[in-house]
């Protein structure tokens, strides 16, 4: 039996992309799910898909950048479930934009979702984990945290900051038996990758399809990753199999970065 079976797992950005892959995979492994997204319609579709695999699936429409709304939602979840064993901070946005064209609103939006929301949700859920002296928090960062991103500097900065938080939170939570780790996906077959292709085509010309091929060309495994690739790595870190692992960031990138 999988080590996440029976655990209550909260996943943000669960309506599509990597988040939906996380939700589907966790459902197959017998986890109890708390799916979070601000897109109510897409979230309900994701919920129905997961209910085909596991019985206990809750959906929470939440804007993680609205801190008070988010805290109220977490309190309600705790009243309903009494515990959250695993928090997977997956919600994130990406924007391809020239350095001199990034505006204040762009910076604020990317940092608000990718960093602020992640921090304050971890704070809200983490206090309950501390009480129980157990739990696992997984941040979905990005391979962009490891490399220069001249056409997405605000995105790269946000994801690098996520790794800093991972280390600091792991140190803080360690004495309470709560582990904090991260996964760093490379290019994945998601709507976000399609948006990157369109943005790069707009900047450099040519088709979005060619832009994506150029973008993923350096991958040694010569394929784009799938959301399930990230899900399996994240759920391993969330499981009891990883009981002595904390403060780590696992690349899931097809070998774009090697040890």
């Amino acid at each position: 039996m999988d080590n996440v079976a029976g655990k209550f797992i909260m996943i943000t950005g669960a309506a599509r992309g990597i988040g939906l892959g996380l939700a589907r995979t966790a459902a197959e492994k017998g986890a109890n799910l708390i799916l979070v997204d601000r897109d109510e319609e897409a979230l309900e579709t994701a919920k129905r898909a997961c209910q085909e695999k596991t019985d206990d699936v809750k959906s929470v429409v939440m804007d993680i950048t609205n801190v008070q709304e988010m805290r109220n939602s977490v309190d309600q979840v705790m009243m309903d479930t009494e515990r959250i064993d695993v928090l997977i901070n997956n919600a994130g946005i990406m924007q391809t934009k020239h350095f001199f064209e990034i505006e204040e609103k762009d910076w604020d939006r990317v940092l608000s979702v990718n960093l602020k929301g992640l921090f304050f949700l971890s704070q809200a859920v983490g206090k309950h984990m501390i009480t129980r002296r157990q739990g696992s928090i997984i941040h979905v960062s990005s391979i962009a945290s490891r490399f220069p991103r001249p056409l997405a500097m605000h995105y790269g900065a946000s994801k690098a900051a996520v790794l800093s938080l991972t280390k600091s939170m792991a140190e803080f939570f360690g004495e309470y038996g709560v582990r904090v780790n991260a996964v760093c996906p490379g290019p994945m077959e998601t709507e976000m990758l399609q948006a990157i292709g369109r943005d790069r085509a707009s900047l450099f010309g040519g088709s979005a399809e060619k832009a994506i091929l150029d973008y993923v060309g350096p991958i040694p495994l010569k394929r784009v990753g799938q959301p399930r690739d990230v899900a399996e790595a994240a759920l391993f870190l969330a499981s009891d199999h990883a009981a002595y692992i904390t403060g780590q960031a696992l690349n899931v990138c097809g070998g774009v970065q090697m040890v």
Side-chain angles (χ1 to χ4, degrees):
M1 181 174 288
D2 284 291
N3 258 219
V4 296
K7 292 184 183 291
F8 283 88
I9 302 180
M10 175 178 278
I11 303 169
T12 67
R16 54 177 55 84
I18 290 174
L20 181 56
L22 282 160
R24 286 177 177 272
T25 306
E28 291 171 7
K29 294 177 183 292
N32 304 307
L33 301 179
I34 305 149
L35 307 181
V36 176
D37 206 284
R38 62 181 182 179
D39 186 333
E40 184 172 5
E41 183 177 351
L43 185 60
E44 284 306 305
T45 300
K47 178 180 179 180
R48 289 193 296 272
C50 291
Q51 285 174 326
E52 296 176 2
K53 301 294 184 180
T54 191
D55 294 330
D56 197 339
V57 184
K58 296 176 175 60
S59 59
V60 181
V61 179
M62 182 199 304
D63 179 357
I64 62 170
T65 67
N66 184 325
V67 175
Q68 191 55 55
E69 174 190 328
M70 175 271 296
R71 287 173 175 163
N72 292 340
S73 296
V74 170
D75 288 342
Q76 184 59 55
V77 168
M78 288 300 301
M79 289 178 62
D80 294 340
T81 67
E82 297 186 352
R83 73 182 200 268
I84 298 172
D85 300 300
V86 178
L87 168 63
I88 303 182
N89 283 306
N90 165 73
I93 56 175
M94 199 278 191
Q95 184 183 46
T96 302
K97 208 164 186 179
H98 190 280
F99 174 72
F100 288 113
E101 294 179 356
I102 296 173
E103 300 179 21
E104 183 179 5
K105 65 180 181 180
D106 299 322
W107 178 272
D108 289 345
R109 178 168 172 263
V110 169
L111 271 290
S112 185
V113 175
N114 294 359
L115 194 60
K116 173 186 171 182
L118 174 150
F119 176 84
F120 284 104
L121 183 56
S122 297
Q123 190 182 69
V125 174
K127 69 178 183 180
H128 297 290
M129 291 180 171
I130 281 177
T131 299
R132 297 180 61 236
R133 302 190 73 84
Q134 59 181 294
S136 177
I137 298 174
I138 310 295
H139 301 320
V140 178
S141 179
S142 168
I143 202 68
S145 65
R146 312 283 202 182
F147 294 101
R149 281 294 181 265
L151 294 177
M153 291 191 187
H154 47 340
Y155 175 76
S158 72
K159 291 302 188 177
V162 167
L163 295 191
S164 177
L165 278 179
T166 300
K167 291 182 285 187
S168 296
M169 287 173 57
E171 180 75 19
F172 174 79
F173 280 108
E175 65 180 289
Y176 303 105
V178 177
R179 299 181 298 106
V180 184
N181 292 290
V183 290
C184 297
M188 294 288 147
E189 188 60 64
T190 61
E191 292 177 11
M192 183 180 286
L193 181 61
Q194 299 305 313
I196 290 171
R198 292 192 297 271
D199 290 343
R200 292 177 72 89
S202 177
L203 286 170
F204 301 117
S207 69
E209 291 76 13
K210 183 180 184 303
I212 291 173
L213 288 174
D214 291 342
Y215 183 68
V216 304
I219 300 175
L221 288 183
K222 301 306 177 187
R223 70 173 178 89
V224 175
Q226 299 298 317
R228 189 180 185 98
D229 294 322
V230 182
E232 291 286 0
L235 292 172
F236 162 71
L237 290 173
S239 76
D240 297 338
H241 291 304
Y244 202 54
I245 300 175
T246 194
Q248 306 302 309
L250 176 60
N251 294 335
V252 187
C253 63
V256 169
Q257 185 185 41
M258 299 187 182
V259 175

